Amino acid sequence: MAEAGPQPFIRIAGVSKRFGGFTAVNDVSLDIMKGEMFALLGGSGCGKTTLLRMLAGFETPTEGSIFIDGQDMADIPPYERPVNMMFQSYALFPHMTVEANVGYGLKYEAMSKADRAARVREMLDLVQLSGFAGRKPHQLSGGQRQRVALARALARQPKLLLLDEPLAALDKKLREHTQFEIMSIQQRTGITFVVVTHDQEEAMTLADRIAVMDKGQIRQLGPPAEVYERPNSRFVAGFIGSINMFEGEVVADGGGLAVAVPALGSMVQVTGIDAKTGDKVTLAVRPEKIAISREPPAAANSFEGTVKDLAYFGKDSLFRVALPSGALVSVSSVNRDRGRNTSAADWGERVWLSFAPQSAIVLKD
């Protein structure tokens, strides 16, 4: 008999949630492993927060079951679940010190006063706020308040920590720094984290796996690199990062298959295509997979156009190139040199675009 593999720490089985005639979550099944950093990613109204609230026990599934660590949560109230939640607003008590905020939930634990104080010190050490125990929330920066909320959520040593848009209130640079802090804390504690976010970069940085949600359903589930490099639908391709998409048709080409793309004015060589001749498909290419040059390249897929727009972002530049068909192609080019005019092209200049066959994504859905 084959040995059973690792059992999921969280099992969501056929879960739906309806509010009157509106279905917020529609027949979702999902397994999350112990110690995993998992992200629910999607736009506003996709059902991700409703699913998180059902894990916490704040909402009850209309249909389906939720198991945490092998236990059915159907009749378990929020305060008895091995779960804690960090809210988007942080919800710190303004009149309490950092120390009191972190230790607030421990008042209801069977712990001595000394043990509670030790746990609070441990949590403040974990989030690197040991020197801020006596401060009030208004005396802290946004990033420090976020870490206080995280310390408070971890203080009761939950088996599962739920984070609802945890970095939404932070500016870009602080958000990037805090992402790595959260990853480090999760790795050190080994606690299972489930993060809800609408920010694609945040999900891709934090998570071991991502579930992309839309209209109450999971559209794709997998590691960040898989979801980004091999999206399974037009929706996922368009939602995750920037991408160029063109309508096309699969055609026979020298014994193999290619995609005829009218907007590009030619056939496009692709690899690993799961389609047959005559299929209507979408050809997708990420901007960073496209090379831009002033001279015709020796490449399988190359197209001539004119630079219509150029945006300089410091570390890279974004070109929008108009093709003879009128189609616009976005191209990202890294600025590797400093203090020199080494731009791949300039406004109004005739250029050549090219990409490798393996860089093209062919989508049927």
Side-chain angles (χ1 to χ4, degrees):
M1 180 182 296
E3 292 186 7
Q7 295 300 301
F9 180 67
I10 299 170
R11 170 152 285 172
I12 299 169
V15 166
S16 296
K17 178 63 179 180
R18 289 186 286 274
F19 297 96
F22 173 69
T23 301
V25 176
N26 187 8
D27 192 23
V28 167
S29 294
L30 175 65
D31 288 346
I32 300 172
M33 307 308 290
K34 186 174 180 62
E36 190 170 16
M37 175 79 85
F38 192 91
L40 295 169
L41 172 66
S44 179
C46 73
K48 60 188 187 296
T49 297
T50 300
L51 190 56
L52 196 77
R53 290 177 61 82
M54 286 191 283
L55 281 169
F58 300 144
E59 300 287 353
T60 302
T62 306
E63 296 167 358
S65 303
I66 294 175
F67 295 84
I68 299 177
D69 202 14
Q71 183 179 12
D72 191 343
M73 294 289 109
D75 298 317
I76 309 298
Y79 56 86
E80 290 185 5
R81 297 189 180 200
V83 176
N84 215 338
M85 187 165 179
M86 180 178 151
F87 296 94
Q88 180 177 349
S89 64
Y90 307 152
L92 299 178
F93 298 110
H95 62 287
M96 291 185 181
T97 63
V98 165
E99 184 178 42
N101 265 285
V102 173
Y104 181 79
L106 298 177
K107 294 192 300 182
Y108 306 100
E109 299 287 308
M111 302 174 69
S112 68
K113 185 175 181 180
D115 286 343
R116 284 197 296 270
R119 178 74 59 76
V120 170
R121 287 196 299 272
E122 179 187 355
M123 292 301 103
L124 290 177
D125 285 343
L126 184 67
V127 298
Q128 301 177 30
L129 286 176
S130 299
F132 297 80
R135 295 195 187 184
K136 300 285 183 66
H138 74 273
Q139 296 173 307
L140 304 175
S141 69
Q144 289 166 340
R145 288 195 293 271
Q146 189 266 354
R147 282 186 279 157
V148 173
L150 182 58
R152 183 177 63 183
L154 292 168
R156 294 181 62 188
Q157 296 184 326
K159 294 181 179 179
L160 171 62
L161 184 62
L162 309 175
L163 299 95
D164 184 12
E165 301 279 4
L167 308 180
L170 306 182
D171 62 56
K172 179 177 174 58
K173 186 168 287 189
L174 184 56
R175 189 163 62 243
E176 291 174 351
H177 174 73
T178 308
Q179 286 170 359
F180 290 103
E181 288 189 335
I182 289 177
M183 291 165 64
S184 176
I185 289 169
Q186 192 268 339
Q187 290 167 1
R188 279 183 279 161
T189 61
I191 294 172
T192 306
F193 280 34
V194 176
V195 181
V196 155
T197 181
H198 68 279
D199 188 305
Q200 306 139 39
E201 290 185 6
E202 183 176 303
M204 302 211 21
T205 301
L206 287 174
D208 300 312
R209 285 191 303 151
I210 298 171
V212 182
M213 294 192 67
D214 179 47
K215 298 178 182 177
Q217 296 182 312
I218 294 176
R219 298 295 299 271
Q220 186 167 353
L221 171 65
E226 179 182 303
V227 174
Y228 184 83
E229 299 288 357
R230 294 186 293 278
N232 64 3
S233 66
R234 294 177 180 89
F235 171 80
V236 174
F239 187 79
I240 302 288
S242 300
I243 201 162
N244 299 286
M245 290 194 279
F246 309 99
E247 298 306 309
E249 181 179 335
V250 177
V251 296
D253 179 44
L257 293 177
V259 179
V261 183
L264 299 179
S266 70
M267 289 193 300
V268 175
Q269 303 300 315
V270 296
T271 61
I273 182 171
D274 180 22
K276 62 182 185 298
T277 302
D279 282 352
K280 302 295 184 181
V281 296
T282 297
L283 183 95
V285 190
R286 300 281 182 194
E288 72 275 11
K289 309 292 187 186
I290 304 174
I292 182 170
S293 62
R294 292 182 170 92
E295 301 296 330
N301 301 314
S302 59
F303 316 92
E304 193 176 10
T306 304
V307 177
K308 182 178 180 181
D309 297 302
L310 169 57
Y312 175 76
F313 298 119
K315 64 183 177 64
D316 58 13
S317 295
L318 180 67
F319 301 86
R320 290 209 308 164
V321 177
L323 303 184
S325 66
L328 287 174
V329 182
S330 294
V331 182
S332 178
S333 178
V334 176
N335 299 317
R336 293 183 175 85
D337 297 317
R338 175 178 176 269
R340 294 168 56 196
N341 183 19
T342 56
S343 175
D346 209 341
W347 298 82
E349 195 170 3
R350 298 290 292 177
V351 293
W352 287 85
L353 308 181
S354 61
F355 56 87
Q358 59 267 30
S359 295
I361 304 166
V362 179
L363 302 167
K364 294 191 291 184
D365 181 12

